[in-house]
Amino acid sequence: MAEKDVILEFLASKSAVKSKFYFKDFSDLFPEKGPREVKKVLTQLVKDEVLEFWSSGSTTMYGLKGAGKQSHTEGED
Amino acid sequence: MAKHATPMLDELEKGPWPSFVSDIKQEAAHRAANPNGLDYQIPAEAPEDLLGVLELSYEEKETHWKHGGIVGVFGYGGGVIGRYCDQPEKFPGVAHFHTVRVAQPAGKYYSTKFLRDLCDLWDLRGSGITNMHGSTGDIVLLGTQTPQLEELFYELTHKMNVDLGGSGSNLRTPAACLGQSRCEYACYNTQDMCYQLTMDYQDELHRPAFPYKFKFKFDGCPNGCVCAMARSDFAVVGTWKDDIKIDQEQVKAYAAGELKPNAGAHAGRDWGKFDLQAEVVDRCPGHCMKWDGAKLSIDTKHCVRCMHCINTMPRALHIGDERGASILVGAKAPVVDGAQMGSLLIPFIDCSAPYDDVKEVIEKIWDWWMEEGKNRERVGETMKRLSFQKLLEVTDTEAAPYHIVQPRTNPYIFFKEEEVPGGWERDIKQFRERHQR
């Protein structure tokens, strides 16, 4: 399975519980690949407008474009 | 008349200090008058509503801001911090009030044209309120709405030749002191290194893949005008290897009171006659100075580069000629763990362009931290969790006494068998020939 599909399958499997994910959640999907390789796949998915970045200002996460809430209130996760 | 009554904020206008409340009121009045006839792209009352929501927070002692969401322009994972007000009906001007970070020029040199253009752009597409500068050093543009972001980005990058700064789990906007442009103490070209590393690490600045934020800062000397060793994960602090250069005639001139100490910086009050022995020699933390009334001498091997003597007598003493920088890693403010200062990793590194030696260390640290760092863990916390020795290993740095924080009480540097001549194994027969059972 292509890396892109692994990522999308992972996101689909979690869609009921979570909409935003740390970079590490994705690098854990590819234990044989280094973080920089995983970053390339994610960056391409962002360029393709499949994924989008979400940030609290201090931490950045990735999610499917348009999924989940946009704004965040402290302690409301 | 003001849109919202702000009696508590008004208190902050009293006293001799500059007041952000006065500044925001000034901008509110300016936007209401609109002397340039701008077609404001976000509500004109944004500054008034900003004061209103702050007054409400003071009354209720809780925030009315939410944060998060959109993080920049297309393809960028940072540079914009989404802000939303949770009382949008009361304060429609700040219902969406995103922060934009813009990379400051190295050393913060501006032309007045740039500043005017920036303010004109922000009056049109934002609240008109800025913070010059944020803690990390960026130009901070406070308050705009989502549809303005791409427009703003285009104007900044295409017309003003400047880029968004860092936010989120990114490399943050690097910052440098003004270095050799104005300062005789600068041991390397801080502005150039800052600029080069900013350009070389664009991917790390704009596309987040770190466990958390990562900051570079570049100080030209140990005076630390950008406080690199306290505020950055990776601090490059200028230093020198050889002797401090001494002009004995000028030393005598200071001692005789012909030259003002600290270049006259403390001349506002009579501190009495300058006492070279008490004010310089006795204050040397390395106890490496001697003054016999005619000659000043410095024992370089005990000099800790504190800069006190050079700062006090700048015409008599000067940094050495063999210049480079020290690298300290892991400074941070509290989040996961408490605040910590940087730990000295490399005492002296060459700092000539294109800075390959420095970049090699940076990239080794990133490779390790990206693999091993936990979510929201700064590299200083990864160091503490996995040991400083691990950092030495991943950066191919040989352990040395200056890596030990507290000798004997916490000897956390251990040798490996391959590092010890002869290894661990011993011949028990030979041992018993020398030692009875």
PDB file of all heavy atoms in Angstrom, chain B residues 230-242:
ATOM      1  N   ALA B 230      19.701  31.675  27.409  1.00  0.00           N
ATOM      2  CA  ALA B 230      18.546  31.497  28.293  1.00  0.00           C
ATOM      3  C   ALA B 230      17.270  31.242  27.511  1.00  0.00           C
ATOM      4  O   ALA B 230      16.315  30.700  28.060  1.00  0.00           O
ATOM      5  CB  ALA B 230      18.358  32.737  29.168  1.00  0.00           C
ATOM      6  N   ARG B 231      17.226  31.640  26.252  1.00  0.00           N
ATOM      7  CA  ARG B 231      15.934  31.663  25.561  1.00  0.00           C
ATOM      8  C   ARG B 231      15.864  30.768  24.332  1.00  0.00           C
ATOM      9  O   ARG B 231      14.829  30.723  23.690  1.00  0.00           O
ATOM     10  CB  ARG B 231      15.615  33.097  25.109  1.00  0.00           C
ATOM     11  CG  ARG B 231      15.599  34.103  26.246  1.00  0.00           C
ATOM     12  CD  ARG B 231      14.855  35.339  25.836  1.00  0.00           C
ATOM     13  NE  ARG B 231      15.456  35.973  24.676  1.00  0.00           N
ATOM     14  CZ  ARG B 231      14.785  36.626  23.738  1.00  0.00           C
ATOM     15  NH1 ARG B 231      13.483  36.732  23.813  1.00  0.00           N
ATOM     16  NH2 ARG B 231      15.400  37.191  22.726  1.00  0.00           N
ATOM     17  N   SER B 232      16.951  30.095  23.991  1.00  0.00           N
ATOM     18  CA  SER B 232      16.883  29.332  22.744  1.00  0.00           C
ATOM     19  C   SER B 232      17.319  27.887  22.953  1.00  0.00           C
ATOM     20  O   SER B 232      18.214  27.606  23.749  1.00  0.00           O
ATOM     21  CB  SER B 232      17.729  29.990  21.659  1.00  0.00           C
ATOM     22  OG  SER B 232      19.065  30.054  22.043  1.00  0.00           O
ATOM     23  N   ASP B 233      16.693  27.012  22.205  1.00  0.00           N
ATOM     24  CA  ASP B 233      17.058  25.590  22.268  1.00  0.00           C
ATOM     25  C   ASP B 233      18.484  25.393  21.775  1.00  0.00           C
ATOM     26  O   ASP B 233      19.179  24.487  22.197  1.00  0.00           O
ATOM     27  CB  ASP B 233      16.107  24.780  21.385  1.00  0.00           C
ATOM     28  CG  ASP B 233      14.677  24.926  21.816  1.00  0.00           C
ATOM     29  OD1 ASP B 233      14.008  25.886  21.370  1.00  0.00           O
ATOM     30  OD2 ASP B 233      14.230  24.109  22.626  1.00  0.00           O
ATOM     31  N   PHE B 234      18.896  26.257  20.846  1.00  0.00           N
ATOM     32  CA  PHE B 234      20.226  26.128  20.254  1.00  0.00           C
ATOM     33  C   PHE B 234      20.839  27.527  20.236  1.00  0.00           C
ATOM     34  O   PHE B 234      20.467  28.362  19.417  1.00  0.00           O
ATOM     35  CB  PHE B 234      20.109  25.567  18.830  1.00  0.00           C
ATOM     36  CG  PHE B 234      21.423  25.198  18.193  1.00  0.00           C
ATOM     37  CD1 PHE B 234      21.927  23.915  18.296  1.00  0.00           C
ATOM     38  CD2 PHE B 234      22.157  26.144  17.497  1.00  0.00           C
ATOM     39  CE1 PHE B 234      23.136  23.574  17.698  1.00  0.00           C
ATOM     40  CE2 PHE B 234      23.363  25.814  16.907  1.00  0.00           C
ATOM     41  CZ  PHE B 234      23.849  24.525  17.005  1.00  0.00           C
ATOM     42  N   ALA B 235      21.737  27.770  21.200  1.00  0.00           N
ATOM     43  CA  ALA B 235      22.323  29.105  21.348  1.00  0.00           C
ATOM     44  C   ALA B 235      23.735  29.123  20.781  1.00  0.00           C
ATOM     45  O   ALA B 235      24.551  28.262  21.115  1.00  0.00           O
ATOM     46  CB  ALA B 235      22.351  29.490  22.822  1.00  0.00           C
ATOM     47  N   VAL B 236      23.995  30.084  19.923  1.00  0.00           N
ATOM     48  CA  VAL B 236      25.345  30.276  19.391  1.00  0.00           C
ATOM     49  C   VAL B 236      25.858  31.582  19.996  1.00  0.00           C
ATOM     50  O   VAL B 236      25.307  32.655  19.716  1.00  0.00           O
ATOM     51  CB  VAL B 236      25.334  30.348  17.850  1.00  0.00           C
ATOM     52  CG1 VAL B 236      26.750  30.467  17.309  1.00  0.00           C
ATOM     53  CG2 VAL B 236      24.642  29.123  17.259  1.00  0.00           C
ATOM     54  N   VAL B 237      26.859  31.468  20.857  1.00  0.00           N
ATOM     55  CA  VAL B 237      27.335  32.630  21.608  1.00  0.00           C
ATOM     56  C   VAL B 237      28.797  32.878  21.270  1.00  0.00           C
ATOM     57  O   VAL B 237      29.647  32.005  21.517  1.00  0.00           O
ATOM     58  CB  VAL B 237      27.168  32.404  23.131  1.00  0.00           C
ATOM     59  CG1 VAL B 237      27.597  33.663  23.896  1.00  0.00           C
ATOM     60  CG2 VAL B 237      25.736  32.045  23.470  1.00  0.00           C
ATOM     61  N   GLY B 238      29.096  34.016  20.733  1.00  0.00           N
ATOM     62  CA  GLY B 238      30.453  34.332  20.305  1.00  0.00           C
ATOM     63  C   GLY B 238      31.452  34.251  21.444  1.00  0.00           C
ATOM     64  O   GLY B 238      31.148  34.613  22.586  1.00  0.00           O
ATOM     65  N   THR B 239      32.657  33.772  21.148  1.00  0.00           N
ATOM     66  CA  THR B 239      33.724  33.720  22.144  1.00  0.00           C
ATOM     67  C   THR B 239      35.060  33.737  21.414  1.00  0.00           C
ATOM     68  O   THR B 239      35.108  33.786  20.188  1.00  0.00           O
ATOM     69  CB  THR B 239      33.570  32.484  23.054  1.00  0.00           C
ATOM     70  OG1 THR B 239      34.486  32.592  24.144  1.00  0.00           O
ATOM     71  CG2 THR B 239      33.837  31.188  22.315  1.00  0.00           C
ATOM     72  N   TRP B 240      36.141  33.698  22.161  1.00  0.00           N
ATOM     73  CA  TRP B 240      37.474  33.680  21.556  1.00  0.00           C
ATOM     74  C   TRP B 240      38.354  32.739  22.366  1.00  0.00           C
ATOM     75  O   TRP B 240      38.061  32.438  23.518  1.00  0.00           O
ATOM     76  CB  TRP B 240      38.069  35.096  21.515  1.00  0.00           C
ATOM     77  CG  TRP B 240      38.252  35.682  22.883  1.00  0.00           C
ATOM     78  CD1 TRP B 240      39.373  35.647  23.655  1.00  0.00           C
ATOM     79  CD2 TRP B 240      37.248  36.349  23.674  1.00  0.00           C
ATOM     80  NE1 TRP B 240      39.141  36.260  24.865  1.00  0.00           N
ATOM     81  CE2 TRP B 240      37.862  36.699  24.893  1.00  0.00           C
ATOM     82  CE3 TRP B 240      35.914  36.691  23.470  1.00  0.00           C
ATOM     83  CZ2 TRP B 240      37.172  37.364  25.912  1.00  0.00           C
ATOM     84  CZ3 TRP B 240      35.234  37.358  24.480  1.00  0.00           C
ATOM     85  CH2 TRP B 240      35.864  37.693  25.677  1.00  0.00           C
ATOM     86  N   LYS B 241      39.437  32.271  21.716  1.00  0.00           N
ATOM     87  CA  LYS B 241      40.302  31.279  22.355  1.00  0.00           C
ATOM     88  C   LYS B 241      41.532  31.897  23.002  1.00  0.00           C
ATOM     89  O   LYS B 241      42.027  31.401  24.002  1.00  0.00           O
ATOM     90  CB  LYS B 241      40.799  30.289  21.288  1.00  0.00           C
ATOM     91  CG  LYS B 241      39.959  29.053  21.120  1.00  0.00           C
ATOM     92  CD  LYS B 241      40.680  28.127  20.163  1.00  0.00           C
ATOM     93  CE  LYS B 241      39.944  26.835  19.967  1.00  0.00           C
ATOM     94  NZ  LYS B 241      40.605  25.990  18.962  1.00  0.00           N
ATOM     95  N   ASP B 242      42.056  32.950  22.366  1.00  0.00           N
ATOM     96  CA  ASP B 242      43.354  33.460  22.810  1.00  0.00           C
ATOM     97  C   ASP B 242      43.183  34.511  23.910  1.00  0.00           C
ATOM     98  O   ASP B 242      42.127  34.612  24.511  1.00  0.00           O
ATOM     99  CB  ASP B 242      44.124  34.016  21.599  1.00  0.00           C
ATOM    100  CG  ASP B 242      43.317  35.019  20.816  1.00  0.00           C
ATOM    101  OD1 ASP B 242      42.080  35.012  20.949  1.00  0.00           O
ATOM    102  OD2 ASP B 242      43.899  35.838  20.086  1.00  0.00           O
TER     103      ASP B 242
END
